[in-house]
């Protein structure tokens, strides 16, 4: 793959639709062959950023309460991508019959191919980055695979030398009863299901979950479960490719253009820019007197902590001043009001002359009035999470930089319910800091947030929309309340798999059945259902 600087991008190789179609005949790829094209650096960067947005959308949906690859999961991912105008990243199927759409699909397949290899270079550096990239790419592949029809899947397997052939009808009839027992198919519908005979070592995931019939070292895999085998092959292929890419990275980084493009790419913010004062368009003006009330209502935990520290100590170190100063600039505090706010607070510990000489310059600099006169943007969640926080400093992300006990105490002080605190702490231990912040938002606003939290100023805006009645509230857990009737064997203890908010609505005299109203999460309910064979009835 060759690269050109932006000034030469107009001379890049432009391929017509027919050539692209011949090179990218299918929406699915194993990314075995690197691209060999001349592409402008700016276009290359734009493509890579788009793909990064797609992978982060998959991560957000995976951390929701929807079972992975369920219809709800797929719809949630589609909605997320649509909000970001990234529909084309999953609308790549050959089954779409439209000339204009066909041309767009071919170009998107090219974009998909090139951007995948660029992100390989960005994410091959550490084991954690490789693991994250492989996981999201595998889920993207499986998501796209689920949208293909049988004919397109056959073409894909043939192109990639996956020699899986359906078993003959005669063989199928001989073991029909065993196939029915292995999978919960209706006996009348099993004639419509194609079975593939593969070595059981290639279907270990299906064997582990007892989803296939085994005989003489072969697994009989129904066509709808073939995705599990092909996805495992994709993951294995990509894992090996990432290891090889890591070995080649020193040679590739000799090119300063690649080094500049990939520098901290995995930490790049891909959301909305909050550079402008957000409340000017609505006519609202933020004043210093309003900040105390806003901090309790609409500040994310990181900014509320900085505000309260400033009010109690009348000082913040440099990192805290920059992080908080840019945030209040982003919510609509003007330069004049900002100078007034910081001057009044700092002057409680120092004289005004010292403030003007040592601190006022930085405030004006944030607003683009000093130095290079750059209008700096408020820090994103990713930048805050990756900040270095030393002793005595208060900036950074509380969900990452606070001790667990301190974090619990802080949330309890802010009246976060105990079950939500435990869920947030569990997310923090798994390093899902932005999802923990989202749960904090939901707990303090008694609602659900579909878009996730990517930026402190986004948190503030979403909160203000709810408080001002501009957004419809979604009562947290309202759509997850379930009524469950469980039939139990005699003399069996009541299962304690419900959480502390669950209620026993009715209990049978002979202890043979219980009816619960569950408020717990989906995974808890699923475990409960699996253990005692309950029937779920939504209310």
């Amino acid at each position: 793959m060759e690269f050109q600087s932006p000034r030469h991008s107009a001379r890049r190789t432009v391929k017509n639709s027919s050539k692209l179609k011949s090179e990218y005949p299918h929406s699915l790829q194993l990314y075995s062959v690197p691209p060999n094209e001349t592409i402008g650096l700016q276009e290359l960067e734009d493509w890579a950023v788009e793909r990064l947005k797609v992978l982060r959308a998959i991560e957000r949906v995976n951390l929701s309460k929807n079972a992975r690859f369920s219809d709800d999961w797929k719809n949630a991912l589609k909605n997320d991508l649509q909000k970001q105008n990234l529909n084309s990243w999953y609308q790549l199927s050959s089954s779409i019959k439209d000339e204009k759409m066909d041309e767009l699909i071919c170009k998107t397949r090219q974009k998909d191919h090139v951007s995948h290899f660029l992100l390989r270079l960005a994410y091959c550096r550490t084991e954690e980055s490789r693991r994250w990239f492989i996981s999201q790419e595998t889920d993207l592949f499986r998501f796209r695979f689920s949208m293909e029809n049988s004919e397109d899947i056959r073409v894909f397997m043939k192109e990639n030398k996956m020699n899986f052939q359906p078993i003959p009808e005669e063989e199928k009839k001989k073991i029909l009863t065993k196939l029915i027992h292995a999978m919960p198919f209706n006996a009348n519908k099993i004639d419509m299901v194609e079975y593939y005979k593969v070595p059981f070592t290639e279907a270990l995931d299906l064997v582990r979950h007892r989803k296939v019939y085994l005989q003489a070292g072969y697994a009989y895999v129904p066509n709808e479960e073939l995705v599990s085998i092909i996805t495992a092959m994709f993951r294995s292929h990509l894992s090996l490719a990432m290891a090889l890419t890591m070995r080649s990275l020193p040679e590739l980084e000799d090119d300063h253009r690649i080094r500049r493009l990939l520098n901290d790419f995995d930490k790049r913010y891909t959301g909305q820019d909050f550079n402008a004062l957000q409340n000017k368009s609505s006519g609202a003006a933020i004043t210093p007197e309003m900040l105390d009330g806003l901090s309790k209502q609409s500040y994310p935990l990181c900014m509320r902590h900085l505000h309260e520290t400033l009010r109690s100590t009348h000082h913040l170190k440099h990192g805290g001043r920059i992080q908080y100063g840019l945030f209040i600039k982003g919510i609509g505090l003007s330069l004049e009001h900002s100078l007034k706010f910081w001057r009044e607070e700092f002057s409680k510990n120092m004289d005004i002359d010292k403030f003007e000489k040592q601190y006022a310059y930085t405030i004006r600099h944030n607003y683009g009035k000093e130095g290079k006169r750059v209008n700096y943007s408020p820090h994103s969640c990713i930048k805050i999470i990756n900040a270095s926080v030393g002793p005595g400093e208060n900036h950074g992300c509380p969900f990452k930089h606070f001790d667990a006990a301190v974090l619990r105490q802080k949330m309890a002080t802010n009246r976060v319910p105990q079950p939500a605190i435990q869920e947030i702490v569990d997310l923090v231990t798994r390093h899902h800091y932005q999802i923990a912040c989202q749960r904090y938002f939901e707990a303090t606003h008694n609602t659900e947030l579909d878009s996730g939290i990517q930026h402190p100023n986004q948190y503030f805006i979403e909160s203000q929309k709810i408080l001002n009645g501009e957004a419809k509230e979604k009562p947290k857990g309202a759509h997850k309340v379930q009524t469950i009737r469980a039939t139990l064997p005699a003399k069996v203890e009541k299962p304690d798999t419900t959480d502390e908010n669950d209620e026993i609505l009715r209990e049978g005299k002979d202890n043979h059945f219980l009816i619960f109203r569950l408020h717990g999460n989906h995974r808890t309910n699923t475990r409960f259902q699996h253990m005692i064979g309950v029937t779920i009835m939504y209310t």
Side-chain angles (χ1 to χ4, degrees):
M1 181 164 47
E2 298 179 17
F3 305 94
Q4 290 183 343
S5 61
R7 60 180 178 169
H8 295 303
S9 61
R11 294 185 294 163
R12 64 183 174 81
T13 303
V14 179
K15 298 187 178 182
N16 59 38
S17 180
S18 59
K19 186 170 179 62
L20 284 174
K21 194 168 185 177
S22 65
E23 289 190 6
Y24 303 104
H26 203 278
S27 62
L28 299 174
Q29 298 186 55
L30 291 182
Y31 307 104
S32 302
V33 181
N36 183 21
E37 304 167 30
T38 303
I39 302 172
L41 279 173
Q42 187 58 54
E43 188 170 31
L44 189 70
E45 184 173 359
D46 292 342
W47 290 359
V49 169
E50 277 195 30
R51 189 180 198 91
L52 184 58
K53 290 180 180 179
V54 173
L55 298 186
R56 285 178 175 169
I58 292 172
E59 180 184 34
R60 283 195 298 274
V61 175
N62 279 342
L63 291 169
S64 68
K65 290 179 168 54
N66 296 318
R68 288 175 70 187
F69 309 115
S70 64
D71 290 340
D72 289 339
W73 183 93
K74 293 174 186 175
N75 291 332
L77 180 55
K78 288 180 181 179
N79 291 337
D80 195 319
L81 296 178
Q82 285 171 1
K83 289 177 183 177
Q84 302 181 72
N85 296 319
L86 297 173
N87 312 40
S88 59
W89 283 85
Y90 65 84
Q91 295 174 338
L92 303 177
S93 176
S94 304
S95 60
I96 300 176
K97 305 298 182 183
D98 184 292
E99 288 187 7
K100 292 183 179 179
M101 196 67 182
D102 195 48
E103 184 177 353
L104 176 63
I105 286 170
C106 291
K107 290 181 179 178
T108 306
R109 288 178 184 175
Q110 179 193 27
K111 186 193 302 184
D112 171 58
H113 184 214
V114 174
S115 62
H116 170 86
F117 278 88
L118 185 65
L119 261 64
R120 270 195 198 179
L121 297 175
Y123 280 87
C124 71
R125 301 162 191 271
T126 66
E127 182 179 352
E128 183 179 357
S129 296
R130 289 194 297 272
R131 186 164 55 247
W132 183 89
F133 179 72
I134 291 170
S135 177
Q136 313 315 320
E137 283 283 341
T138 303
D139 287 351
L140 176 60
F141 176 86
R142 182 160 184 162
F143 171 61
R144 287 173 171 171
F145 190 97
S146 67
M147 301 177 70
E148 297 293 328
N149 57 42
S150 299
E151 183 58 35
D152 285 338
I153 290 174
R154 287 195 193 95
V155 172
F156 169 75
M157 291 192 299
K158 184 177 180 181
E159 288 175 352
N160 291 279
K161 298 180 174 57
M162 299 178 186
N163 300 315
F164 300 137
Q165 296 296 330
I167 61 175
E169 282 298 319
E170 296 77 13
E171 185 177 358
K172 182 178 177 181
K173 289 179 181 178
K174 288 180 182 179
I175 57 173
L176 188 61
T177 304
K178 295 175 180 177
L179 293 178
I180 293 173
H181 290 161
M183 285 291 289
F185 285 126
N186 188 306
N188 297 326
K189 294 182 179 180
I190 199 167
D191 293 335
M192 303 168 60
V193 179
E194 288 185 334
Y195 277 85
Y196 295 82
K197 184 179 179 180
V198 302
F200 83 95
T201 53
E202 295 184 15
L204 292 178
D205 186 57
L206 297 174
V207 173
R208 180 166 57 249
H209 292 93
R210 300 183 179 184
K211 289 187 174 183
V212 290
Y213 169 63
L214 294 178
Q215 179 175 293
Y218 286 93
Y220 288 81
V221 182
N223 56 350
E224 70 174 32
E225 295 294 345
L226 202 60
V227 60
S228 179
I229 297 175
I230 296 177
T231 301
M233 294 175 66
F234 176 86
R235 176 184 283 274
S236 177
H237 172 83
L238 181 56
S239 181
L240 176 60
M242 291 292 284
L244 296 174
T245 304
M246 182 183 63
R247 294 176 189 173
S248 306
L249 195 60
E251 297 177 17
L252 294 170
E253 286 193 328
D254 287 342
D255 189 327
H256 70 278
R257 297 169 297 175
I258 290 287
R259 190 167 58 252
R260 182 191 65 80
L261 188 63
L262 301 180
N263 186 34
D264 291 332
F265 194 88
D266 57 324
K267 299 179 178 65
R268 182 173 298 200
Y269 174 61
T270 55
Q272 179 184 347
D273 182 12
F274 294 90
N275 202 2
L277 301 184
Q278 296 301 315
N279 291 296
K280 277 193 172 180
S281 60
S282 63
I286 300 294
T287 63
E289 294 74 24
M290 299 168 63
L291 296 183
D292 285 336
L294 290 172
S295 68
K296 296 175 182 177
Q297 291 179 327
S298 298
Y299 275 23
L301 188 57
C302 56
M303 299 304 170
R304 183 169 179 176
H305 173 65
L306 286 170
H307 181 82
E308 291 173 350
T309 302
L310 178 61
R311 286 301 199 193
S312 62
T313 65
H314 315 298
H315 190 270
L316 285 176
K317 291 192 175 182
H318 179 74
R321 295 197 303 273
I322 296 296
Q323 181 175 312
Y324 186 50
L326 290 173
F327 170 77
I328 57 178
K329 168 197 169 186
I331 67 173
L333 197 69
S334 67
L335 173 59
E336 293 73 23
H337 280 146
S338 186
L339 284 167
K340 176 186 175 184
F341 169 69
W342 291 101
R343 185 185 297 114
E344 288 179 351
E345 204 59 49
F346 273 51
S347 63
K348 295 175 182 178
N349 280 344
M350 65 183 69
D351 57 53
I352 294 179
D353 286 342
K354 183 177 180 181
F355 172 82
E356 294 294 341
K357 290 178 181 178
Q358 297 186 15
Y359 299 100
Y361 177 89
T362 302
I363 298 168
R364 293 194 297 270
H365 190 270
N366 286 344
Y367 283 78
K369 302 301 181 183
E370 299 285 359
K372 295 181 180 179
R373 298 188 181 276
V374 175
N375 191 16
Y376 291 96
S377 300
H379 291 177
S380 66
C381 287
I382 291 177
K383 189 166 186 175
I384 292 171
I385 288 169
N386 289 296
S388 298
V389 181
E393 294 182 315
N394 294 283
H395 64 286
C397 174
F399 300 105
K400 179 180 180 182
H401 298 113
F402 277 14
D403 180 77
V406 175
L407 180 61
R408 285 179 181 273
Q409 182 181 5
K410 196 77 175 178
M411 289 191 289
T413 303
N414 295 345
R415 299 182 179 180
V416 178
Q418 192 60 40
I421 291 177
Q422 185 57 51
E423 182 184 3
I424 290 168
V425 172
D426 289 343
L427 287 165
V428 167
T429 58
R430 290 182 280 143
H431 310 295
H432 298 311
Y433 307 118
Q434 288 173 254
I435 305 299
C437 188
Q438 179 182 338
R439 296 290 184 267
Y440 176 81
F441 180 99
E442 293 172 343
T444 53
H445 291 77
N446 194 31
T447 189
E448 289 198 342
L449 190 65
D450 296 329
S451 57
I453 298 296
Q454 308 296 321
H455 200 290
N457 292 75
Q458 175 214 354
Y459 183 110
F460 178 85
I461 291 171
E462 294 292 343
S463 173
Q464 286 290 291
K465 285 181 180 177
I466 292 173
L467 295 175
N468 296 332
E470 298 175 21
K472 293 182 179 179
E473 290 192 31
K474 300 178 183 178
K476 184 171 172 57
H479 66 284
K480 293 188 288 295
V481 176
Q482 305 163 3
T483 299
I484 293 185
R485 177 187 177 95
T487 303
L488 304 175
K491 299 181 181 180
V492 173
E493 294 182 1
K494 302 172 188 178
D496 64 355
T497 54
T498 58
D499 75 20
E500 62 185 5
N501 292 320
D502 299 340
E503 313 166 44
I504 299 180
L505 299 185
R506 190 164 72 255
E507 183 175 339
K509 294 180 181 179
D510 54 1
N511 198 34
H512 281 205
F513 71 85
L514 302 171
I515 294 182
F516 289 85
R517 184 176 297 277
L518 296 184
H519 299 273
N521 63 49
H522 172 75
R523 291 171 184 164
T524 301
N525 298 343
T526 304
R527 268 201 316 274
F528 175 71
Q529 179 182 8
H530 176 73
M531 188 181 82
I532 60 176
V534 302
T535 302
I536 298 180
M537 297 169 287
Y538 290 87
T539 59

